[in-house]
Amino acid sequence: LEKRKTSFVREMPPGNSDKSPNPERRNLRLFELIAIPLGWIMRLIYNIVGSYGMSILIFTLLVKACTIPSTYKQQVNTARRGLLSPKLEKIRKSYANNPTKMQEEQNKLFTEEGINISAGCLSGIVTCIVLMGVYQVVVRPMSFILNMKNDVAPATDLLKAWLESNQITEKYLQARPELIILKYAESHPEIFASISGFNEKIAGFENTFLGLDLGGQPSLHPENGWTFSALVLAALPVLCFLAQILLTFISQRHMKKQDPESAKTMGSMNLMLYMMPVMTLWMGYSFPAGLNFYWLINSISSVVLTLGIYRSLPPERVLVINEKEKQKQLAKGPGWMQRMMDMSAQMQQEQMNAAQGGNRTRYADGDDGMSRKERAEYDRKLIEAARRRAAEKYGEEYPDDGFEPDELD
């Protein structure tokens, strides 16, 4: 049976091998799309430096460099909000019992001061997207670095047959076949001899960094005991955890200095910020060393970048920047997030106003006697009214459909 299986794999055309069942490809197509351009960049870097570890290092630093403008803008925005701390605290006290009005007044203050609350979001979004793609590149170097995607399926089948015949169990073969293939291609190249040119392509691949196997799995219970390599692998998630804790501590300490009032109101958020490094530690022992290596380099570079930006923004310089940014933002107009928050506040106010009349009070309680169609139409009018008022507020045109906001009064 095993011979027949092996023969089938040998005779299968390369074009069909990509159709073999592969959990990574079937369940993570979106991540694969993200990984494709990242793989191109990583392959280019690898072809230049000849080391997979150095490729991850250089790639991480390049991505971090691309996020510097967005990160700087985010820190400037935070510093400018710190200047408004007294005014924000006054608003919180004045409308402590009216959260909707409080949010409305805060948005109004940000608009008057030319602060775009969505500024700097790009760096966080880019980091998350890149992380998903890097995971795919790390666990599938044959597909994204060596350009051997069509060889993965037949090589997997050959390896499965060999493992079964030798009564060997590989825990991560199903989830990370390419890393396991690379492992056995180095120690038992005869397994894949039937695939033309396979061993020649694999032979030159360097999947280590300073002797550390980036395809290895960090574990607190290594299969072969506590060797030096196993110790370094186990330490990687811990180092990632410590680097992220340091980054969180530096950021929180700086925020308390710049905007102490806002820092006081972020109790639960602060807890979440410290939970993220804990999650990284836990996930670090579930992912290969290459991803932990990426996390570590990204966290260390973030610490260095954050400290550098903080040093470049002394209080006197923040005041100068604040005035320039205020004039620039006022001329540009509010950002998309500011508009969304304004629209949300207006819709809430519309609902509160509507709830003051007889039948509308019952509507707010969910028992107004309206049909589903009438309720949908009423909700649509609320949204239209909020959008119209937002357009009028920012001097924009809004298509006239014959509806007047006063119809809701």
Side-chain angles (χ1 to χ4, degrees):
L1 179 62
E2 293 298 335
K3 290 182 179 178
R4 289 171 60 190
K5 181 178 180 181
T6 303
S7 176
F8 169 76
V9 175
R10 290 176 182 174
E11 296 172 2
M12 185 169 56
N16 292 336
S17 63
D18 190 45
K19 297 181 181 180
S20 297
N22 187 325
E24 292 287 336
R25 189 174 190 278
R26 183 177 65 247
N27 300 327
L28 299 174
R29 291 181 182 274
L30 175 60
F31 295 168
E32 182 176 356
L33 290 176
I34 298 172
I36 288 174
L38 301 184
W40 292 338
I41 299 173
M42 289 278 281
R43 187 185 306 166
L44 175 63
I45 299 174
Y46 177 81
N47 290 336
I48 295 174
V49 301
S51 168
Y52 192 45
M54 283 299 298
S55 300
I56 293 178
L57 173 62
I58 294 172
F59 173 79
T60 307
L61 295 179
L62 284 176
V63 172
K64 182 58 64 176
C66 291
T67 62
I68 287 178
S70 179
T71 304
Y72 178 79
K73 184 178 292 186
Q74 183 180 25
Q75 296 301 333
V76 168
N77 218 38
T78 301
R80 294 182 63 207
R81 288 186 62 168
L83 298 177
L84 301 179
S85 186
K87 295 181 180 180
L88 289 172
E89 179 59 19
K90 184 178 179 181
I91 291 175
R92 294 189 191 103
K93 291 181 178 179
S94 300
Y95 303 100
N97 298 323
N98 191 342
T100 301
K101 185 65 176 177
M102 181 193 300
Q103 186 68 55
E104 184 180 340
E105 290 298 319
Q106 287 177 341
N107 293 343
K108 182 179 178 181
L109 177 61
F110 292 146
T111 301
E112 292 174 350
E113 295 295 328
I115 293 181
N116 182 4
I117 58 178
S118 63
C121 294
L122 179 62
S123 59
I125 296 174
V126 168
T127 300
C128 293
I129 293 176
V130 169
L131 181 60
M132 292 187 292
V134 168
Y135 172 76
Q136 286 292 297
V137 175
V138 168
V139 300
R140 300 176 61 190
M142 290 175 59
S143 296
F144 293 105
I145 304 299
L146 298 178
N147 200 23
M148 298 174 62
K149 186 175 182 179
N150 291 335
D151 294 328
V152 174
T156 302
D157 287 338
L158 287 172
L159 180 57
K160 283 181 179 178
W162 186 88
L163 292 173
E164 290 174 5
S165 64
N166 288 273
Q167 297 182 343
I168 299 174
T169 302
E170 274 294 343
K171 181 179 179 181
Y172 297 104
L173 179 59
Q174 186 74 7
R176 305 162 194 167
E178 297 188 22
L179 294 178
I180 306 302
I181 289 171
L182 289 174
K183 172 184 172 181
Y184 281 90
E186 182 178 355
S187 58
H188 297 84
E190 68 278 4
I191 300 174
F192 313 101
S194 60
I195 303 177
S196 177
F198 185 89
N199 288 325
E200 289 76 8
K201 296 176 183 178
I202 293 291
F205 184 63
E206 183 63 46
N207 193 30
T208 61
F209 182 75
L210 300 178
L212 176 66
D213 180 14
L214 296 179
Q217 178 65 47
S219 174
L220 296 177
H221 305 284
E223 295 180 359
N224 300 320
W226 285 104
T227 62
F228 177 75
S229 178
L231 184 63
V232 175
L233 282 173
L236 267 179
V238 177
L239 294 175
C240 293
F241 167 77
L242 294 176
Q244 290 201 9
I245 280 288
L246 177 61
L247 177 62
T248 302
F249 174 77
I250 292 173
S251 300
Q252 292 301 297
R253 184 181 178 188
H254 187 75
M255 183 175 182
K256 288 179 180 179
K257 287 183 178 180
Q258 279 196 330
D259 191 359
E261 296 302 330
S262 294
K264 290 179 183 178
T265 62
M266 293 181 62
S268 58
M269 183 63 70
N270 290 336
L271 179 61
M272 287 296 297
L273 290 175
Y274 281 101
M275 282 298 295
M276 289 303 297
V278 177
M279 291 294 294
T280 300
L281 177 63
W282 175 71
M283 291 188 298
Y285 289 103
S286 303
F287 295 129
L291 193 63
N292 281 274
F293 183 62
Y294 166 79
W295 271 337
L296 180 60
I297 300 303
N298 184 68
S299 299
I300 292 175
S301 59
S302 294
V303 169
V304 174
L305 177 60
T306 300
L307 289 175
I309 292 177
Y310 287 164
R311 287 183 63 86
S312 70
L313 293 173
E316 56 276 8
R317 187 161 185 262
V318 171
L319 291 173
V320 176
I321 294 175
N322 179 59
E323 191 58 34
K324 291 182 179 179
E325 289 295 322
K326 179 178 178 179
Q327 299 304 322
K328 184 193 300 184
Q329 191 62 40
L330 287 175
K332 183 179 178 181
W336 64 270
M337 186 174 290
Q338 184 73 54
R339 299 190 183 197
M340 289 293 292
M341 294 182 68
D342 285 348
M343 187 179 296
S344 176
Q346 288 175 4
M347 287 179 63
Q348 292 181 15
Q349 189 62 45
E350 291 286 350
Q351 291 176 336
M352 291 177 63
N353 292 340
Q356 294 176 1
N359 201 37
R360 305 272 168 75
T361 301
R362 294 194 301 275
Y363 176 80
D365 294 335
D367 182 21
D368 59 345
M370 290 184 182
S371 66
R372 290 186 178 180
K373 183 177 180 180
E374 289 172 333
R375 289 184 181 182
E377 179 64 17
Y378 184 71
D379 287 339
R380 185 190 68 81
K381 289 184 177 181
L382 283 177
I383 296 172
E384 291 293 327
R387 288 176 176 172
R388 183 180 295 278
R389 288 193 173 97
E392 292 173 352
K393 178 178 179 180
Y394 300 121
E396 298 177 349
E397 293 185 0
Y398 192 81
D400 187 6
D401 57 359
F403 165 71
E404 294 296 334
D406 293 337
E407 292 180 20
L408 294 171
D409 297 336

